[in-house]
Amino acid sequence: MSIVEKIQYSEEFLKETNIANNINILWGKVLPILQHRKYLYDRYTRKKDKNDVIVALEFYISTIASGYFGGKEPQYKVKKTNETQKGILKKVFEKVFGDKNNPDEFQTIIDYITKYNDNGSFFYDCVKDYINTGACYGLLYENKENEIVYAHTSSLTSIAIWNYETPSQKIGLLRYWYENSKDGGITTHLELITKNYKKHYIDSIDKKTIDSNSKFEFEEQKEDSKKVKWNDLPIFAVENPDGLALFENVITLIKKHEQVIRNNANTFQYNDDAKLKVTGFTSDIPPLIEVKDEDGETKFDSNGNPVMIQNPARIAEDNAILNAKVFYTPDKDGDIDWIIKDINDTASENHKKTCIDLALMISSVPNVTDQGFTNADNSAALEKKFFPLDQVLQQADKLFKKELLRMWEMITSRINLKKTTEYDFRDIEVILIRNLPQNNKEIADNWLKLRGLLSDKTVIDHLPYDLDSESEIAEIDAQDEIKMQKNMENIETMTQNNLPKVGDTNVGILQQKDDRIKTNIQQDKQANTK
């Protein structure tokens, strides 16, 4: 089956006046791609695999790569443009940048939205879909509480539609789901989203099963149609340009690896059920006898041949021989032995290792059981082990950063429209952090050495302890204020305690000392004048 890796149409194709006639054509192009993604997902889970030997290297490759790339949530930082940069930008573009944007205020809004949406979970779900199926998607909307939401939607049920521009732009998202009909069949639902509308379609033909040859007739549910009010296409979509899952090119090697294990298992089973070979001895009891009817006459099959069965007497003799502790062969050349298959264990193990090594090499995922990995006792050594995987994921890194920034462009535009603000999405820096074991003490020490050169907020944000810099700085300020108040109270108390009291015998002595000090100061001034 030929798989179209990218769905492309003109915007005219998706116009509201044309889509009723085109929806069946669109679904016909989409279905093979979604079926292929389902095959890849089944390879990842192996839940439906009925083979007796399953070595789910796809699961291993996907888990390691997804955890490495998506294990830490993205960071969004609002960049602050300095006066020199503003001057250059104004000179070159004749526009003022940064004056209308309050970076701290904008950062607070971004932090609030990411916490509300469980930013880390959304990112990991998208990364996992991308690794397993070569694509991932999300939806943007505003809920009943007027909160801006971005939510993951499965790549097994969703696909983006692109136009023919260079580079091509998203013009729609098609989602589907199945429902069980009252007649015991399957009803297919479609939801099509563009920047202008969202429409719901239902297949009018009930089916027992669905495959590439199934016929569909979709009818629009007009009562569910809605206008999209984002002035944009509110979706998140990242698709691998090659249409590949990370493990897709090594599925053949994984099958070969399983076949070697299966062959060895079959050989062991054959040897476990081996037949006993006896030479120099012949039984007098025939192995087969004819079947007799109730009258003692021989039964014949349709070809006129006697019907034969195993001779119970021969079976009893064979069992007696097998269970005997000693067996005698009357012939001097007689022998007894098992008929078994030999296994070249070294060749078999080398074959399995070659399959695993090639599969992990092509997918660029490190083998966490090899000696080089177990000996990697610091973060620098681990980074070297993950270097090939990082190279493979560079394309994904660029695609995700671009699409995340595009998502924040839509969110920022929505905020500006509703709140009459003028935030600029281009001030947002998207930071993707790889998930590797790290020495927290070493990282903390390195960042604390930069205090004085960098702001406390920047230092706290980079400490590996999941701290909220704004809250921590506020706590420090409150703590310093309390200390200062206590110090002032202590100084006031000490001053009061050191003041001379009325009737104190030391008052006269203190006064004399004070007069002598004043006299000395006056004499020094006169001497300096002369």
Side-chain angles (χ1 to χ4, degrees):
M1 179 178 62
S2 175
I3 301 296
V4 180
E5 301 298 351
K6 193 172 187 177
I7 300 297
Q8 287 185 284
Y9 285 103
S10 65
E11 296 191 35
E12 187 74 18
F13 183 88
L14 293 184
K15 271 193 174 180
E16 198 163 4
T17 54
N18 300 330
I19 190 59
N21 297 324
N22 295 333
I23 188 66
N24 290 298
I25 299 172
L26 177 61
W27 178 244
K29 292 289 187 182
V30 166
L31 183 57
I33 298 178
L34 295 180
Q35 288 178 328
H36 182 64
R37 290 180 184 172
K38 182 64 168 60
Y39 162 76
L40 292 173
Y41 184 77
D42 287 342
R43 288 294 309 183
Y44 158 71
T45 62
R46 307 298 287 273
K47 290 174 64 176
K48 297 183 178 180
D49 199 324
K50 303 303 181 184
N51 289 323
D52 56 340
V53 176
I54 297 175
V55 182
L57 283 176
E58 298 96 337
F59 180 85
Y60 171 81
I61 292 170
S62 172
T63 301
I64 295 296
S66 299
Y68 174 69
F69 187 65
K72 291 191 175 180
E73 66 176 288
Q75 301 293 315
Y76 307 107
K77 299 297 180 185
V78 178
K79 295 176 287 188
K80 297 182 179 180
T81 307
N82 60 42
E83 295 302 322
T84 302
Q85 292 172 328
K86 289 180 183 178
I88 295 172
L89 293 173
K90 182 179 180 181
K91 178 181 178 182
V92 175
F93 297 105
E94 298 181 352
K95 292 174 65 178
V96 176
F97 291 87
D99 283 353
K100 298 179 180 180
N101 182 25
N102 184 329
D104 294 331
E105 186 177 80
F106 194 18
Q107 183 69 61
T108 301
I109 293 172
I110 291 173
D111 292 342
Y112 173 80
I113 293 174
T114 55
K115 288 180 180 179
Y116 182 84
N117 284 281
D118 194 1
N119 185 53
S121 177
F122 169 80
F123 181 64
Y124 181 80
D125 289 340
C126 288
V127 167
K128 185 178 176 182
D129 272 3
Y130 181 86
I131 297 296
N132 286 333
T133 64
C136 62
Y137 305 97
L139 296 175
L140 278 73
Y141 60 92
E142 191 170 322
N143 63 18
K144 295 179 180 179
E145 288 75 31
N146 295 322
E147 299 282 2
I148 294 177
V149 179
Y150 50 90
H152 164 258
T153 179
S154 173
S155 61
L156 301 179
T157 60
S158 310
I159 192 167
I161 306 164
W162 307 77
N163 62 17
Y164 292 105
E165 294 180 6
T166 304
S168 58
Q169 304 295 322
K170 300 183 296 294
I171 59 174
L173 181 79
L174 186 69
R175 299 174 60 231
Y176 88 96
W177 66 93
Y178 294 135
E179 284 187 4
N180 296 322
S181 67
K182 61 182 180 181
D183 299 324
I186 301 173
T187 302
T188 305
H189 293 251
L190 298 183
E191 182 182 72
L192 179 61
I193 304 172
T194 70
K195 65 180 180 180
N196 297 316
Y197 63 79
K198 180 170 77 170
K199 292 183 178 295
H200 177 206
Y201 298 88
I202 298 180
D203 180 23
S204 60
I205 306 173
D206 256 8
K207 301 172 179 62
K208 295 298 182 184
T209 58
I210 293 177
D211 55 38
S212 300
N213 298 320
S214 300
K215 301 297 182 183
F216 296 86
E217 290 293 337
F218 288 101
E219 297 177 355
E220 181 184 351
Q221 307 301 298
K222 296 185 181 297
E223 65 275 10
D224 296 333
S225 296
K226 297 179 181 178
K227 292 291 183 183
V228 174
K229 300 178 180 179
W230 280 67
N231 297 324
D232 207 328
L233 177 62
I235 70 168
F236 174 93
V238 179
E239 293 182 351
N240 187 298
D242 302 314
L244 290 172
L246 186 63
F247 56 77
E248 193 166 353
N249 281 333
V250 300
I251 290 178
T252 302
L253 285 168
I254 296 172
K255 289 181 178 179
K256 291 291 184 184
H257 178 252
E258 291 176 338
Q259 185 62 49
V260 175
I261 297 175
R262 190 176 298 111
N263 291 343
N264 288 349
N266 291 338
T267 300
F268 284 124
Q269 185 63 47
Y270 173 86
N271 290 342
D272 191 50
D273 299 330
K275 296 182 181 298
L276 187 64
K277 178 188 71 173
V278 179
T279 58
F281 172 80
T282 303
S283 175
D284 295 332
I285 303 173
L288 300 175
I289 58 174
E290 296 177 352
V291 178
K292 305 292 185 179
D293 60 16
E294 294 178 355
D295 299 328
E297 299 294 331
T298 301
K299 287 186 177 182
F300 295 91
D301 59 21
S302 58
N303 296 322
N305 298 318
V307 178
M308 308 294 291
I309 61 170
Q310 284 186 306
N311 189 345
R314 180 63 178 266
I315 293 174
E317 182 184 45
D318 289 343
N319 287 334
I321 293 172
L322 287 172
N323 294 326
K325 293 185 178 180
V326 180
F327 181 80
Y328 300 96
T329 56
D331 194 294
K332 64 177 181 179
D333 296 325
D335 192 14
I336 185 169
D337 196 7
W338 293 101
I339 302 175
I340 63 173
K341 294 180 180 179
D342 292 330
I343 295 180
N344 188 333
D345 189 63
T346 301
S348 175
E349 290 301 312
N350 287 339
H351 194 172
K352 288 192 291 183
K353 186 177 185 305
T354 300
C355 290
I356 292 177
D357 289 347
L358 285 174
L360 296 182
M361 182 191 74
I362 294 171
S363 61
S364 298
V365 173
N367 187 346
V368 297
T369 63
D370 68 16
Q371 187 175 1
F373 197 94
T374 55
N375 288 343
D377 56 355
N378 57 67
S379 57
L382 284 174
E383 287 176 2
K384 290 180 181 178
K385 297 297 293 184
F386 277 92
F387 176 77
L389 180 59
D390 201 57
Q391 303 312 299
V392 169
L393 293 174
Q394 282 303 305
Q395 184 183 56
D397 183 274
K398 304 299 186 293
L399 292 173
F400 270 88
K401 282 183 177 178
K402 179 181 177 182
E403 192 62 11
L404 287 170
L405 188 61
R406 176 78 179 93
M407 181 183 77
W408 281 103
E409 179 184 2
M410 289 186 282
I411 293 174
T412 302
S413 176
R414 184 76 172 175
I415 294 171
N416 290 339
L417 177 64
K418 296 195 70 176
K419 305 299 181 183
T420 63
T421 52
E422 296 185 357
Y423 300 121
D424 191 342
F425 78 94
R426 289 171 294 186
D427 290 335
I428 301 174
E429 180 183 5
V430 180
I431 304 170
L432 301 184
I433 307 169
R434 303 296 187 262
N435 184 25
L436 280 176
Q438 56 189 12
N439 186 334
N440 289 345
K441 183 179 183 304
E442 180 181 346
I443 295 173
D445 289 343
N446 289 336
W447 277 102
L448 290 174
K449 289 176 183 177
L450 297 174
R451 292 187 68 187
L453 297 175
L454 301 177
S455 68
D456 287 345
K457 183 179 186 305
T458 300
V459 173
I460 294 173
D461 282 338
H462 286 86
L463 293 177
Y465 302 118
D466 193 22
L467 301 173
D468 183 359
S469 58
E470 298 291 346
S471 300
E472 294 302 324
I473 291 174
E475 289 287 341
I476 291 173
D477 291 342
Q479 179 178 286
D480 290 344
E481 186 175 347
I482 293 172
K483 287 183 178 179
M484 185 179 296
Q485 184 67 30
K486 287 184 177 180
N487 289 338
M488 293 295 293
E489 292 174 356
N490 292 336
I491 291 173
E492 186 176 349
T493 300
M494 292 174 61
T495 303
Q496 292 293 334
N497 292 336
N498 289 332
L499 286 175
K501 298 184 174 77
V502 177
D504 192 336
T505 56
N506 292 325
V507 172
I509 298 173
L510 291 172
Q511 185 64 46
Q512 292 176 6
K513 287 183 178 179
D514 186 54
D515 291 342
R516 283 199 300 269
I517 292 172
K518 288 180 179 179
T519 301
N520 292 335
I521 292 173
Q522 187 65 30
Q523 290 176 352
D524 290 341
K525 285 183 178 180
Q526 291 174 356
N528 291 332
T529 301
K530 293 178 180 180

